[in-house]
Amino acid sequence: MNTNPHEFRGTTETHQITLRGPAELADALPFMLGFHPSDSVVLVALHGELGRFGGRVRLGIPRSAKEWPSTAEHLAECLVDGCARRGTRPDGIVVFLCQDPAPGETGRHVMERLRPFAQRLRTACGALDIPVYEALCISDGLYFSYCCPDTRCCPPDGTPMALTGTSVMAASAAYAGIQVRGSLRDMEARLKPRPSWPDEERQRKALNEGATLIVPKIFDGPPGVGRAEVREATLTLAREVLRRFDTPPEGTDTTARTPMTSPGRGPGTAEQDASDDAAIGTDEAAALILGLQDRDTRDQAAEWMEGREGAAALRLWRALSRRCVTPFDEHAAAPLTLAGWVAWSTGDEPAARAALGLALDADPDYVFARLLHQACNEGLDPESLRSCLRHERGARAATVVEARAAARPIAFQDSRPPTIKADGADTQVEADSAETEDRAVERVKAVRAVRPGKGVRQGTRTAGTRPGKVSPRPPRGAAARRGGGPRGTRSGR
């Protein structure tokens, strides 16, 4: 154990859990993240005298040791600044280094190889006046402590992890209905091209051919025209594919479940992904991937973010991410970011972080992914962005309705208004010879509906009347007035 023994407390909405020692800390990590981290460095903030869990940051372990100093400083600053923005700086930090052994390595080899990185992390946190209470390496089913010098509790060859489901944290999570997903590697595999995919060459050819047609329209076409054409074609195709995905894939349990209880990659998931892959052709996938490179197209696609529409969209974005074969790896940033956004919008933060992390791997300068990744990691509520997208969608729909209404053809048969008399006994309608018989009959019925002794004024319209029909109006004087605008005009529009 650490020479400065500490109890760490994790909390759920209604329960407080006390963790004692590195064994329970190591076992609690997947429940804090929602998945088993692989090839990751994780920093968890502790607050108060009892070490209450606070914010946390995770990053893939840099392959080059030359990047470790800058990475350690960046992680420490991110965690401390994030906690400070939410109210209080952490009083301590716990460090986790998780990595499986390479071929020919053991867990202890991994621990020794990563020891300089652990020391850099401890130094970076100390430079911010925050102590590291514990630093653990988890590898090959063992955990190792970088802080505890006592070989009786922390032997140099490592200590086996607790059996799954036997710890205090596991029991509390089961009681709360929380289920840990598979490993991070398994979650990311759902978003990457499948190895040895038989149609990989066909997909690459479709992307190459599509690029020669679509990319020039986006960048070289007439201002606004080419992009609008690509956007309309892409969104139309996406809606068609969404209808195919608007049903649970084969083998899916249709019972209700919360995002945290949904498996990341369990029995049947591979079959579900294969079913989704079969539902979209190579040419369709190429057209969608290339069309989503346009920012406005991507932003409109982000509006499919909740309910059944969001569930179908998430399946589509995952499928498209798996189609971004070499050398179109960078093109995956758009569908990966959309997958991360929909996952975050529907409450699935672990899947969101995995997708957004891969999007930044594909394109580190992809602004939408960076903003979403930061917001998700800081624990912000996605409702503000959802509300904005709903407003944009509603405003665009209203504009379309108004444009269609304005474009509706209005027939004018004669510049002279028709003569209509309503004298209480006889009714006369002079219709232009070009007017259809049905329209004339409509107008006759409208005039006959006027009570005797009342006149009508042509060209006025009240609520409930259709263009071209007359509305009752009290006469002025003994006779009804004639006149008004041409038949068929719409006042007040």
Side-chain angles (χ1 to χ4, degrees):
M1 279 293 297
N2 190 350
T3 54
N4 180 17
H6 226 78
E7 290 186 349
F8 309 100
R9 295 195 175 186
T11 59
T12 63
E13 293 182 357
T14 56
H15 303 283
Q16 181 171 280
I17 305 163
T18 301
L19 306 177
R20 298 177 177 86
E24 293 186 354
L25 276 175
D27 180 76
L29 180 59
F31 296 97
M32 288 189 283
L33 298 178
F35 57 88
H36 292 276
S38 53
D39 196 29
S40 301
V41 51
V42 182
L43 271 62
V44 180
L46 303 174
H47 297 273
E49 295 182 357
L50 296 178
R52 176 179 52 83
F53 286 140
R56 48 200 174 272
V57 294
R58 186 207 67 83
L59 188 69
I61 296 177
R63 294 184 180 181
S64 173
K66 296 179 180 179
E67 300 179 28
W68 290 353
S70 60
T71 301
E73 294 174 1
H74 177 68
L75 284 173
E77 291 174 357
C78 283
L79 180 61
V80 174
D81 292 346
C83 291
R85 282 194 297 270
R86 286 191 292 270
T88 58
R89 283 166 54 91
D91 297 301
I93 291 176
V94 177
V95 174
F96 298 88
L97 293 172
C98 309
Q99 192 173 72
D100 292 332
E105 272 191 325
T106 64
R108 183 171 182 177
H109 289 151
V110 174
M111 183 270 292
E112 293 295 348
R113 176 166 52 80
L114 296 178
R115 184 183 290 275
F117 189 25
Q119 186 58 37
R120 289 284 187 180
L121 290 164
R122 297 176 68 184
T123 303
C125 295
L128 300 175
D129 295 327
I130 299 175
V132 172
Y133 289 132
E134 185 61 273
L136 299 176
C137 176
I138 301 175
S139 179
D140 198 24
L142 305 170
Y143 71 85
F144 305 81
S145 174
Y146 290 112
C147 296
C148 180
D150 192 344
T151 57
R152 292 172 298 178
C153 62
C154 298
D157 289 331
T159 304
M161 298 282 290
L163 295 176
T164 303
T166 61
S167 67
V168 173
M169 190 71 169
S172 301
Y175 178 79
I178 299 173
Q179 181 178 353
V180 176
R181 303 159 182 269
S183 69
L184 177 62
R185 183 180 297 107
D186 290 336
M187 295 175 64
E188 292 178 341
R190 302 190 67 183
L191 302 166
K192 295 180 178 179
R194 290 182 293 169
S196 304
W197 182 42
D199 291 333
E200 179 177 349
E201 189 57 39
R202 288 182 55 204
Q203 185 62 70
R204 184 179 295 108
K205 180 180 179 182
L207 285 166
N208 277 316
E209 293 177 351
T212 61
L213 298 174
I214 296 175
V215 174
K217 291 182 179 180
I218 296 178
F219 296 103
D220 301 330
V225 177
R227 285 179 179 268
E229 180 183 344
V230 172
R231 179 165 58 252
E232 183 64 28
T234 302
L235 295 174
T236 299
L237 176 59
R239 293 186 189 97
E240 178 184 338
V241 178
L242 280 181
R243 285 192 288 270
R244 305 174 200 168
F245 286 177
D246 194 23
T247 54
E250 296 180 3
T252 299
D253 182 6
T254 57
T255 57
R257 52 174 59 161
T258 63
M260 286 299 294
T261 61
S262 301
R265 191 171 187 86
T269 304
E271 290 76 12
Q272 294 168 14
D273 290 344
S275 175
D276 290 345
D277 290 338
I280 179 172
T282 54
D283 292 336
E284 292 175 324
L288 291 172
I289 291 169
L290 295 168
L292 288 173
Q293 304 310 306
D294 176 60
R295 185 184 64 184
D296 292 339
T297 305
R298 178 208 65 197
D299 290 349
Q300 287 193 34
E303 295 168 2
W304 304 324
M305 58 189 173
E306 49 195 344
R308 291 180 56 180
E309 189 177 57
L314 181 57
R315 292 167 58 189
L316 173 58
W317 308 142
R318 283 174 174 165
L320 293 180
S321 301
R322 294 191 292 268
R323 297 297 188 94
C324 294
V325 297
T326 307
F328 292 89
D329 312 71
E330 289 188 2
H331 289 67
L336 283 169
T337 301
L338 289 172
W341 158 239
V342 176
W344 183 39
S345 174
T346 55
D348 193 350
E349 291 188 7
R353 293 191 183 97
L356 294 171
L358 288 178
L360 292 174
D361 288 344
D363 185 355
D365 297 324
Y366 204 73
V367 177
F368 192 28
R370 289 170 57 189
L371 294 175
L372 290 175
H373 194 253
Q374 181 179 356
C376 184
N377 286 333
E378 292 181 358
L380 301 182
D381 189 347
E383 177 56 29
S384 57
L385 180 54
R386 281 197 300 261
S387 178
C388 179
L389 290 175
R390 291 190 200 106
H391 175 75
E392 292 291 333
R393 189 176 190 175
R396 192 171 55 256
T399 301
V400 171
V401 171
E402 291 177 0
R404 288 177 178 174
R408 191 175 300 156
I410 302 176
F412 295 93
Q413 284 76 25
D414 195 283
S415 59
R416 295 176 293 104
T419 302
I420 302 176
K421 292 183 179 180
D423 57 5
D426 298 324
T427 300
Q428 178 183 355
V429 178
E430 297 178 1
D432 189 270
S433 59
E435 185 179 34
T436 63
E437 182 179 352
D438 291 340
R439 179 62 63 86
V441 171
E442 269 190 4
R443 294 177 60 245
V444 170
K445 290 180 179 179
V447 175
R448 285 178 176 172
V450 182
R451 292 178 299 171
K454 294 287 184 179
V456 295
R457 182 180 180 182
Q458 177 65 14
T460 61
R461 180 185 174 197
T462 59
T465 62
R466 293 183 296 179
K469 298 186 74 172
V470 294
S471 306
R473 185 179 181 91
R476 293 184 180 179
R481 292 186 59 185
R482 304 184 183 88
R487 178 178 53 81
T489 59
R490 301 172 181 178
S491 60
R493 289 293 182 95

